[in-house]
Amino acid sequence: MMTSCEDEPMETSPRELTQNPLRKIWMPYKNGLPEKHIPQRKVCMTNCPTLIVMVGLPARGKTYISKKLTRYLNWIGVPTKEFNVGQYRRECVKIYRNFEFFRPDNEEGLKIRRQCALTALNDVREYLGVEGGQVAVFDATNTTRERRNTIMKFAEQNEYKVFFVESVCEDPNVIAENIVQVKLGSPDYIDCSTEEAIQDFMKRIKCYENSYQPLDETLDRTLSYIKIMDVGRRYLVNRVQDHIQSRIVYYLMNIHITPRSIYLCRHGESDLNVKGRIGGDSGLTLRGKEFAQCLGRFIQEQNIKDLKVWTSQMKRTIQTAEGLSVPYEQWKALNEIDAGVCEEMSYEEIQDHYPLEFALRDQDKYRYRYPKGESYEDLVQRLEPVIMELERQENVLVVCHQAVMRCLLAYFLDKSAEELPYLKCPLHTVLKLTPVAYGCKVESIFLNVEAVNTHRDKPENVNISRLAEEALLTVPAHQ
């Protein structure tokens, strides 16, 4: 039977809409003011919180995966936190004596480890339920089906989705390298010789081996998981439930541990840089062209194996890459942030024509969107395919722009949304990023070609009623 609109009780009429001045997003308003209870949602890709559970023997790269995955999810705007049970154990047991603590027949050790896991899960509940987190990464061995069932019950009680990430590795060279790279620097082995630490850790692994129950295609067929074998030689993926889990799988299938370096630099100094104007598509100054030649010599001296060079599709980065005398690939995704109506304007002109916009940007530079343009938040989303491809590649030089370089740098250095827009990326300077253990080593190399400073610090006064002089206090000198 069909019903007409007249049969249904009428709800309140649709609310009027107004545009949020900071992010340029349409939202309901009442009596000329935005509705107070409309939450400004962060990027949300799952309708309920997700608990990622690591699985695997010690020295299989679980913490490496946990930290990298947490960094990636936070960078794309999904609030994520890692909970390392080993850290809880170290806080509980101040002095680590030897592998005996991990023996399966050590009742006191088992009791302490179980309590540490429960404390960590309580903190997970606090983070996902009270602090507004969307994803928690539970980093522990979780090698028995009993322990995983306990976690599943905890997740069901709290209405979390669960996704297991198991790392399986039988390659003795990879395991030995992991122990040397990571475990020897652990607080557990601060007063040990290298040889003593390796011997003890190998015995610690033995304590887990007999009771280890890997995720099983038949017994665990109802679970959602990815099994990573021999650091990415092979994968097994089962029952991916939602968008966030599919992104996690895609990310984990793209990362690798091959030693390499990523080189980031901006284009050479441009005509608009010298004039203090933002955006545009101008060419290089004489100094900018000199930098391109110096960059070419620098890259040649580095003697980098199979180096790939990427640029944006803007004139100034392509001119810079032309100085290298090597093939390069252009990415539209690497184009500078779109300043919309403010393109090719100086900061003084923006303050003069759009003082409200200038103040709003200073209040929240990451989320502020230029009228008819982009925000740093938009730029991060645009750059995700670049990050994914950078993770797949080995040695790469990216010739890009200030805002773009800030976003890429924030990913590799695990910087927050508040820090990202103020990262210093000076002209004519190459940043060499080399992945190490759980982070990145950064070397800054200035190529001895002078250039204007384009970095503007956040001014103290960000109020919309501030004076022009206060707004322009941190503008760098220009023509």
Side-chain angles (χ1 to χ4, degrees):
M1 177 182 162
M2 293 184 67
T3 58
S4 67
C5 293
E6 285 82 3
D7 297 330
E8 309 260 339
M10 285 296 290
E11 294 186 6
T12 54
S13 58
R15 294 171 291 184
E16 293 295 319
L17 300 179
T18 187
Q19 199 175 48
N20 171 295
L22 180 80
R23 300 172 77 180
K24 314 298 184 281
I25 294 169
W26 290 98
M27 56 193 295
Y29 79 103
K30 198 174 187 178
N31 301 326
L33 294 169
E35 288 272 34
K36 289 278 188 277
H37 67 274
I38 302 294
Q40 285 294 302
R41 298 287 303 273
K42 290 181 179 169
V43 177
C44 189
M45 294 169 192
T46 176
N47 53 5
C48 64
T50 296
L51 177 59
I52 297 170
V53 181
M54 301 305 300
V55 178
L57 293 169
R60 264 55 178 187
K62 295 184 304 299
T63 298
Y64 169 80
I65 292 168
S66 299
K67 287 182 179 295
K68 204 161 170 106
L69 190 53
T70 299
R71 174 159 58 87
Y72 163 71
L73 290 171
N74 277 316
W75 184 77
I76 63 169
V78 181
T80 304
K81 190 173 177 181
E82 173 212 5
F83 297 83
N84 181 285
V85 177
Q87 197 55 44
Y88 284 80
R89 187 258 306 163
R90 278 185 278 275
E91 286 167 15
C92 179
V93 182
K94 300 296 181 191
I95 299 167
Y96 171 78
R97 289 189 167 79
N98 57 38
F99 75 95
E100 300 272 352
F101 179 83
F102 293 95
R103 285 173 61 106
D105 57 355
N106 182 338
E107 288 297 328
E108 189 191 353
L110 278 171
K111 187 179 171 186
I112 291 168
R113 283 153 56 204
R114 194 175 292 119
Q115 186 52 52
C116 289
L118 291 173
T119 304
L121 287 175
N122 281 333
D123 288 350
V124 165
R125 185 193 289 121
E126 180 76 9
Y127 175 68
L128 295 177
V130 179
E131 296 172 25
Q134 286 180 24
V135 177
V137 183
F138 189 69
D139 179 18
T141 52
N142 302 315
T143 45
T144 65
R145 205 156 270 114
E146 180 194 3
R147 170 59 61 84
R148 297 197 290 269
N149 286 339
T150 301
I151 296 167
M152 287 296 291
K153 281 176 190 162
F154 163 82
E156 282 167 23
Q157 286 164 3
N158 291 280
E159 298 185 329
Y160 305 150
K161 286 183 179 176
V162 178
F163 189 75
F164 291 96
V165 177
E166 181 174 28
S167 180
V168 180
C169 185
E170 303 300 334
D171 186 331
N173 294 327
V174 173
I175 296 165
E177 180 66 20
N178 196 8
I179 292 171
V180 171
Q181 285 258 323
V182 179
K183 304 303 177 185
L184 297 188
S186 160
D188 291 347
Y189 298 113
I190 208 145
D191 297 319
C192 286
S193 70
T194 299
E195 197 175 320
E196 286 172 332
I198 291 171
Q199 282 180 359
D200 183 83
F201 200 84
M202 293 304 288
K203 287 175 184 171
R204 193 197 289 196
I205 294 172
K206 289 280 179 206
C207 293
Y208 285 92
E209 281 180 341
N210 290 338
S211 59
Y212 179 28
Q213 298 169 303
L215 289 167
D216 184 273
E217 280 187 73
T218 305
L219 295 174
D220 298 309
R221 63 184 176 277
T222 60
L223 301 182
S224 298
Y225 65 82
I226 179 171
K227 192 189 275 263
I228 304 166
M229 285 158 274
D230 289 325
V231 290
R233 289 199 188 112
R234 208 153 57 88
Y235 303 91
L236 175 64
V237 180
N238 192 66
R239 290 180 71 92
V240 171
Q241 288 181 296
D242 58 22
H243 180 60
I244 193 74
Q245 291 182 11
S246 68
R247 283 182 88 154
I248 289 165
V249 166
Y250 182 52
Y251 179 72
L252 293 177
M253 290 177 76
N254 279 287
I255 62 176
H256 64 83
I257 57 167
T258 308
R260 46 77 174 262
S261 289
I262 292 164
Y263 298 81
L264 301 178
C265 74
R266 291 171 64 188
H267 52 80
E269 179 187 74
S270 74
D271 294 325
L272 288 178
N273 287 152
V274 172
K275 294 170 183 169
R277 296 182 177 277
I278 64 172
D281 195 17
S282 63
L284 300 184
T285 63
L286 287 175
R287 294 193 301 194
K289 289 172 184 173
E290 187 186 343
F291 166 72
Q293 299 302 316
C294 290
L295 180 63
R297 288 195 290 274
F298 168 77
I299 291 299
Q300 224 168 11
E301 287 161 11
Q302 293 285 299
N303 196 24
I304 307 158
K305 186 188 171 206
D306 299 327
L307 178 71
K308 293 197 172 167
V309 178
W310 298 349
T311 73
S312 74
Q313 290 185 349
M314 306 194 102
K315 185 178 181 182
R316 51 196 184 274
T317 63
I318 295 165
Q319 275 187 303
T320 305
E322 279 293 323
L324 305 180
S325 302
V326 296
Y328 56 88
E329 185 181 343
Q330 296 178 22
W331 286 67
K332 190 172 192 296
L334 285 170
N335 283 3
E336 181 57 307
I337 191 168
D338 184 351
V341 299
C342 298
E343 279 284 314
E344 298 195 27
M345 291 175 75
S346 67
Y347 288 126
E348 291 86 350
E349 287 169 347
I350 297 171
Q351 167 60 29
D352 189 34
H353 291 85
Y354 306 108
L356 173 63
E357 295 293 332
F358 202 44
L360 287 171
R361 189 163 197 260
D362 283 340
Q363 287 174 16
D364 188 348
K365 194 174 176 184
Y366 180 76
R367 292 170 188 86
Y368 168 84
R369 181 178 283 136
Y370 281 107
K372 299 183 180 176
E374 290 179 300
S375 64
Y376 271 92
E377 192 172 31
D378 296 330
L379 189 53
V380 162
Q381 300 301 319
R382 163 150 69 86
L383 287 167
E384 192 191 357
V386 177
I387 286 295
M388 210 61 83
E389 195 57 28
L390 276 174
E391 285 292 3
R392 287 173 57 83
Q393 297 292 337
E394 292 183 18
N395 298 310
V396 182
L397 164 65
V398 184
V399 182
C400 55
H401 307 265
Q402 182 166 251
V404 170
M405 189 163 161
R406 282 170 173 161
C407 292
L408 298 177
L409 203 53
Y411 168 77
F412 287 106
L413 302 187
D414 198 15
K415 299 295 183 182
S416 68
E418 284 62 47
E419 295 170 292
L420 182 154
Y422 296 101
L423 294 175
K424 289 190 174 170
C425 299
L427 287 164
H428 300 177
T429 301
V430 179
L431 294 186
K432 180 182 178 183
L433 308 179
T434 307
V436 293
Y438 298 147
C440 241
K441 184 176 85 171
V442 186
E443 295 170 72
S444 178
I445 305 121
F446 173 58
L447 296 193
N448 289 314
V449 180
E450 290 302 314
V452 290
N453 172 26
T454 60
H455 183 88
R456 176 177 175 262
D457 284 317
K458 183 175 182 174
E460 280 186 30
N461 188 348
V462 297
N463 199 291
I464 57 173
S465 59
R466 66 188 175 179
L467 299 172
E469 304 84 73
E470 293 174 302
L472 299 170
L473 260 180
T474 58
V475 172
H478 59 84
Q479 280 182 5

